[in-house]
Amino acid sequence: MSDAIIAQKSPYMTELAVGRDYFWCSCGKSSKQPLCDGSHKGSEFTPVKFQVDAAKAYALCGCKNNDGKPFCNGAHKNL
Ligand code: FES
């Protein structure tokens, strides 16, 4: 698998709602970061579907180096 593009070396604080399906961009190409806009088409990347349990702002991964998971784990600090 080729490396994803680093959209930014910090998380995107994003307000999310309960009961919705979200699709986190894993490829780094989306112009609607941190969520997928379909720009991955033709690559080996696919968006990651997720939901949240509480309506609030979440730190979503912007560096795309969090093992394909949508929530920031601080991996950007090592880039
Ligand atoms: S645009 Fe990046 S996964 Fe869809």
Side-chain angles (χ1 to χ4, degrees):
M1 187 177 213
S2 64
D3 290 338
I5 293 168
I6 297 171
Q8 68 177 25
K9 289 185 180 178
S10 58
Y12 290 93
M13 292 307 296
T14 308
E15 292 283 342
L16 301 177
V18 175
R20 270 193 65 183
D21 289 335
Y22 292 101
F23 295 88
W24 174 75
C25 169
S26 65
C27 74
K29 291 183 187 171
S30 174
S31 62
K32 296 182 178 174
Q33 292 295 332
L35 301 177
C36 174
D37 72 351
S39 296
H40 63 272
K41 288 189 180 122
S43 74
E44 69 266 49
F45 291 96
T46 54
V48 177
K49 182 179 174 183
F50 71 101
Q51 296 180 330
V52 295
D53 294 334
K56 63 177 186 172
Y58 290 85
L60 297 184
C61 174
C63 74
K64 316 302 179 184
N65 277 262
N66 186 18
D67 297 328
K69 299 190 181 87
F71 299 100
C72 175
N73 72 348
H76 60 274
K77 293 175 186 159
N78 298 321
L79 297 175

